[in-house]
Structures are given as C-alpha cells and as structure tokens.
Amino acid sequence: MADPQGESQGAGRNGRLRRAAAGGRLHVTLIKPPLRVPKSAFATNRCPPIGLAYVAAVLLERGIGVSVVDAVGEAPRRIAPTDDAHFVRVGLSDEEIAGRIPPEATALGVSCMFSEEWPFTRRVIESLRRARPTLPIIAGGEHINAAPEFSLRDCPALDACVLGEGEESFAQLLEAVRDGRPVGEVAGIAYLEDGQFQRTPPRVRIRDVDSIPRPAWHLFPLANYLDNGFGFGIGRVRSYPILASRGCPFECTFCSNPEMWTTRWYARDPDAVLDEMGWAIETYGVENFDFYDLTAIVRKDWIREFCRKLIARGYGVGWQLPSGTRSEALTDDVLPLLRDSGCRYLVYAPESGSPSVLKRIKKKVSLDRMKASMRQAVAAGLTVKVSFVIGFPGDTRDELWETVRFCSELAGIGVSDVSVGPFCPYPGSALFAELQGEGRLGAMDEAYFGMLTMYSDLSRSTSWSVHVSNRQLLLFRHLAMAAFYGRAFARRPWRLLSMARNVYTGRHKSRLDRAVADLLDRWGSVLAGLAPWRRRGAGTPRPSRAA
C-alpha cells in the first residue's frame, strides 16, 4: 500500500513528524474507528473508549488542545454491510470520520485496541491521510503495542506508534515535535526512519495511578452510550466504564498483557475510585459501573475496603466485573460484601476445565478452589458467568472433554452463563511467538485478522492443535455450551420465559439475555424494533445531567 499523497508532496513520515505544529500550539484529534462485527457474533461490544478518554485528559492537563471523533459513539445504531459479506460495520463511514477533523488539528491519534480491528483501522488511517496529507498520524492501543513494525509497514500512512501506557509518551512525542527535538529521545514510541524500524526504550509504568486525571468524557458522545444502555456488562442501564487498577501480575501464554503492561499491577486508592463514581452519578445520572480492569480483584484487603466504603456512601447503584477476574480473593467472607455493595454480575475466567491445559498455558488457578468460589458467589445472589478458551496448541480430545464436563458441573451449581471461544494467536503473546517460530503462523493478512474474530462467532473455529480438526473444535464448542445450557435450563426451565421478557424489556439478568438482544438488534428484527430501548418513553433511561 502506498502513501497516497504525503510522500509525493515531500511530506513523508519523517517530514510530517518534524514539521507538525513546529513552534506553534498543538491540537490533537483522537479517533475511535468503527467496529467490525461478524454477522453471527454473539456480542456487539459498543463500549465507551476509556483508554482514549484517559489520553485526552492527560493532553488537556498539559495544555494541548484536544477534539474527538468517536465513530462508534456518534452512530452506535448505524449498522452497514462491508466488502466482506461475513461482517457488518458499526459506526460512521471513513469519509464522515475524515470530514469531522477540525481545521486547527495539528496531529491525529488513532486507537486500535484489538488486532481483529486492524483492517478497519488501517482503512480509516488511509482515509485520514488522503483528507489531511500533511498531518502526522500516531496510533496506539493493544494491537499497535504488540505489532508496531508490522503496523507501520502495513500502513505507510501511519507515522508513529505509541507503546505501553500511552498518556505520557503521546504527550511527550507531540511536545518534541513542537519544540523541534528528535523524536528518538521520547521513551515508549516506534517509527520508521529512512525505512529502518526504530523503537525507543520502554517507558517506566505509572506507579501513582491516582495522579492520572479522570477520563475527559466531556469530549466524547458518552450520552449516546448511556442513553442506549451500551457497555460491557449486562442490563440496558446507564453504565459508566471505570478502572480501579492497571495491569495484571500473571503471565498466561495466550495473553499480550506482559508485552503491553508488564506484570506489574497497580491499584487506585478506593476513595479515589468512589469519588469518581459519585461524580459520574451526579454528572451523568449513572445507574451502574462496569469495571474494565484486566484483573480487578487481586488483594482481599483492597476489595473489602472498597465494598465497605461504597456501602457507607450509600450511592444506591450497581456495579459489575464483566471482563473477568481471579478467584483467590473471592471467598465466603468477601462475596457477601460484593453483593451488599451492589455488585450484581461477576465473570470468572478459568479458560479450561483441564488441569494439564492450565499448566501448559501458565494459567495458575485451582479449578476446585474456583468452583467453590463460584458456588459461594451464586449462594450470595450474584449472576455468574464463566469464560473458556479451547483449541490451544497441544489440546487433546480428552482434555476438551474435561472442559465439556466442567461446563456441565458449573450449570449444576447455578452459574448463569458460559462462553466457549476458540484460541486465537494474538500478536504480543507467548503462544503467537511460539507458533510463528515453528512456521505454523502465516502472514498477518486479511485471513489472519478475520480468524481473530472467531472468539465471538459461533459459526467458525480454527484449531491450533494437531490433535483436533477445525470441525471437531467447532463441535466441542457447541457441545460445551449445550452441556452447560442444557443442564442450566433443565434445572431452571422457567429461565426461557424470563429470558424472553428480559430481552423485550431490556432488563437483562444474564449475558445470554444481552447476547440474544444484541443479535436481534444487529439483524434489525421486528422484535428488536419493538423493544423499549429503541424508542423514548416509559422505561427510557433518564437523560444525562452533563452540560
């Protein structure tokens, strides 16, 4: 792919970085690209871009002008076909995104959190380059961090990458450009210089996470997410995204966390989290908080203090842990505190029901201990979901049967939901490097990025185990979910009627409720069109109180 205009005008990558706002005032436009969703996916994750909101807050604090184009948030219900009949697009068109860049912009920042989003992100960057040929375009996010050289070479319109925690690195890169200093002096970035890949030393992690300003949500169309009940958790309520910690101390081989965050986990002060919650309730009429932490609960003393103080403040709101957490601190003395403080939805992530698989992927959990914690969570009145990944390199059919049986056991103790996704080798993970080193992983092309979407697509699976074929892996996914939901519905047959009511009213009580609603919403069915969240009136969430 060629740089459409910049190189021919003598404003190539190096020139754009040298000339951007030299000596003048900086103004950055931050861009969240649209979503690419498989038609048969069980989730449409229209979530507020909390990472970009943190970046915006730090830039503003440093006196840098900021504007935002959130392609999903500005058109969250616009679902359009794509060139690939297997996918739909959610959000603004490329032309609309480029057309919303203000004239005063001196640089563009583009987010690419997940690698399956890269094909759309690349197209957006190319469209931005055609519209604004002289502006430097800088990208960040999980995918960019995991594959910076690939991203720069695959998209010549991209000028630089911000790696790791992006707030400070992005700000310093822009300031270096403004002041005429070499960008190579900025820690935590990558770029190409005369065709050679350059990566500066990593930036030290932010230890004092309480020093980071609150996300600059006033720049984003947050009301579009809140008013429609979009978010990561369950229930069509006004859900605000929040982080109580950064990082994860574990080293699972299928995860890119060690590459992105290192293995350091830093928690905010509970009072700082609670202050932000109180501010969000007052400002936006928030009814629920979705915690987006990689691993929210590591220390028992922290979660106890948080719950007790939340109860004392009397906010009267709910909160959820939809991204998954560990079970070591979730004991019978902690789980009632979660319930009493308003926690309603909790996700466990054992990943496999086979101890031998867990050992291979360095997932340091005890299945018996986790199952005991789940039983206690159900007894405490929490809605519990469990996430599994199958088809790791080396998985055998016997090990997959262990996961199927474990799913059935969890239904028997009252767990509400399960997801069973195929392993996908993500850039930046140890297993990605291992498969690449063995020559089993081909080019990172369109087929590869399409494969990464299979985790939420129940119609396809790719097996990376020599013992299991693609078709067999897909069968095991369906068997595991059938074993779980078959037993769950047999145990509570009234749940089918409850699910239909919850989907219609938007008052989701489980992830399955939300998944069915998302499917109906995405396909534009008559049922989704009649649901209350699609029209104003009775049952509509109260509007934002933000100015």
Side-chain angles (χ1 to χ4, degrees):
M1 300 175 196
D3 185 336
Q5 296 182 36
E7 301 294 347
S8 63
Q9 294 183 12
R13 281 173 161 151
N14 297 340
R16 287 190 293 264
L17 285 175
R18 284 193 296 267
R19 295 191 181 107
R25 186 174 187 273
L26 294 169
H27 183 102
V28 181
T29 299
L30 301 176
I31 297 157
K32 162 63 179 164
L35 296 177
R36 183 175 75 149
V37 183
K39 286 183 178 178
S40 53
F42 55 76
T44 310
N45 288 324
R46 289 167 282 203
C47 302
I50 189 170
L52 275 184
Y54 268 114
V55 170
V58 171
L59 296 178
L60 288 174
E61 189 176 61
R62 296 176 74 110
I64 297 172
V66 182
S67 53
V68 171
V69 181
D70 180 351
V72 178
E74 293 191 29
R77 291 200 172 279
R78 186 188 301 175
I79 299 173
T82 69
D83 295 338
D84 187 334
H86 190 75
F87 297 96
V88 295
R89 174 193 184 109
V90 180
L92 300 175
S93 69
D94 295 344
E95 293 73 20
E96 287 174 313
I97 295 170
R100 297 187 187 205
I101 307 301
E104 65 269 23
T106 58
L108 307 176
V110 183
S111 170
C112 186
M113 287 303 299
F114 303 106
S115 290
E116 62 264 27
E117 298 173 350
W118 174 246
F120 269 19
T121 302
R122 183 183 59 214
R123 283 181 47 179
V124 167
I125 292 172
E126 291 166 348
S127 175
L128 294 171
R129 173 59 59 230
R130 289 190 293 271
R132 304 298 292 270
T134 62
L135 293 187
I137 302 177
I138 301 158
E142 294 273 359
H143 167 76
I144 299 299
N145 187 86
E149 183 173 6
F150 164 82
S151 302
L152 288 163
R153 296 194 186 280
D154 191 51
C155 184
L158 177 62
D159 297 308
C161 299
V162 172
L163 311 178
E165 286 177 296
E167 294 94 344
E168 191 68 20
S169 295
F170 193 20
Q172 288 193 17
L173 172 59
L174 295 170
E175 289 166 348
V177 169
R178 179 195 60 198
D179 300 340
R181 293 182 282 108
V183 297
E185 296 178 357
V186 179
I189 68 167
Y191 56 97
L192 294 179
E193 186 169 29
D194 299 326
Q196 299 298 309
F197 178 67
Q198 306 291 331
R199 181 172 186 158
T200 63
R203 183 170 296 279
V204 176
R205 285 281 310 280
I206 301 171
R207 292 176 178 270
D208 182 12
V209 289
D210 290 321
S211 68
I212 305 170
R214 287 177 190 163
W217 288 121
H218 64 285
L219 298 177
F220 292 76
L222 185 61
N224 287 348
Y225 293 99
L226 298 175
D227 292 346
N228 286 283
F230 292 140
F232 198 18
I234 59 175
R236 295 278 187 177
V237 294
R238 299 179 67 80
S239 295
Y240 178 94
I242 195 167
L243 285 172
S245 65
R246 284 192 172 192
C248 175
F250 302 99
E251 299 180 272
C252 302
T253 60
F254 59 90
C255 181
S256 62
N257 163 70
E259 176 72 18
M260 175 74 182
W261 293 100
T262 74
T263 54
R264 293 185 178 274
W265 180 84
Y266 297 117
R268 297 171 64 187
D269 183 273
D271 282 313
V273 179
L274 293 166
D275 288 346
E276 182 179 348
M277 292 172 71
W279 168 82
I281 293 167
E282 179 61 30
T283 306
Y284 296 108
V286 170
E287 299 167 309
N288 174 72
F289 292 86
D290 291 339
F291 283 74
Y292 282 41
D293 303 59
L294 288 171
T295 308
I297 301 177
V298 173
R299 286 173 27 210
K300 185 182 285 192
D301 62 331
W302 190 97
I303 191 63
R304 279 175 170 162
E305 182 182 356
F306 171 78
C307 289
R308 286 170 179 157
K309 288 184 173 182
L310 179 54
I311 294 169
R313 294 204 183 195
Y315 287 153
V317 295
W319 61 282
Q320 306 180 34
L321 291 167
S323 59
T325 192
R326 306 279 297 192
S327 62
E328 289 84 353
L330 296 176
T331 53
D332 57 0
D333 60 327
V334 172
L335 288 162
L337 272 175
L338 265 66
R339 175 202 61 211
D340 294 346
S341 64
C343 183
R344 293 293 176 263
Y345 178 59
L346 180 62
V347 177
Y348 292 81
E351 313 302 356
S352 176
S354 169
S356 55
V357 172
L358 294 175
K359 184 177 181 179
R360 283 201 303 272
I361 64 175
K362 298 183 179 181
K363 181 76 177 186
K364 297 176 181 179
V365 298
S366 164
L367 292 176
D368 288 339
R369 186 188 306 162
M370 186 170 276
K371 188 164 66 173
S373 177
M374 293 179 204
R375 184 179 285 109
Q376 293 161 357
V378 171
L382 300 177
T383 298
V384 175
K385 175 181 177 286
V386 183
S387 299
F388 292 96
V389 178
I390 62 175
F392 290 107
D395 274 11
T396 66
R397 285 189 288 274
D398 286 343
E399 290 168 335
L400 295 178
W401 277 116
E402 288 183 275
T403 295
V404 173
R405 287 191 290 270
F406 193 58
C407 284
S408 178
E409 290 177 30
L410 298 182
I413 66 174
V415 170
S416 294
D417 286 296
V418 71
S419 66
V420 184
F423 161 71
C424 297
Y426 277 92
S429 67
L431 281 177
F432 177 91
E434 179 183 309
L435 291 169
Q436 200 171 48
E438 294 172 355
R440 296 182 57 196
L441 197 59
M444 290 170 64
D445 53 15
E446 295 297 318
Y448 168 77
F449 292 112
M451 179 270 296
L452 295 182
T453 66
M454 291 182 187
Y455 74 94
S456 66
D457 187 344
L458 292 174
S459 69
R460 303 177 298 152
S461 291
T462 294
S463 174
W464 293 90
S465 171
V466 297
H467 307 296
V468 184
S469 69
N470 293 346
R471 181 174 294 182
Q472 289 171 335
L473 186 66
L474 183 60
L475 176 62
F476 271 107
R477 286 183 74 189
H478 293 164
L479 281 172
M481 297 186 75
F484 177 86
Y485 284 109
R487 187 170 181 181
F489 286 127
R491 183 175 178 268
R492 293 178 291 172
W494 59 87
R495 188 178 168 192
L496 283 170
L497 291 175
S498 174
M499 181 178 69
R501 182 189 67 243
N502 296 340
V503 169
Y504 178 77
T505 62
R507 300 183 182 278
H508 308 145
K509 303 298 184 183
S510 70
R511 190 65 196 181
L512 181 61
D513 295 347
R514 178 138 201 167
V516 172
D518 278 350
L519 280 169
L520 293 174
D521 191 36
R522 193 163 58 246
W523 282 91
S525 70
V526 174
L527 219 123
L530 293 175
W533 65 82
R534 297 295 300 271
R535 63 179 187 269
R536 300 193 64 82
T540 302
R542 61 182 182 270
S544 170
R545 292 197 288 268

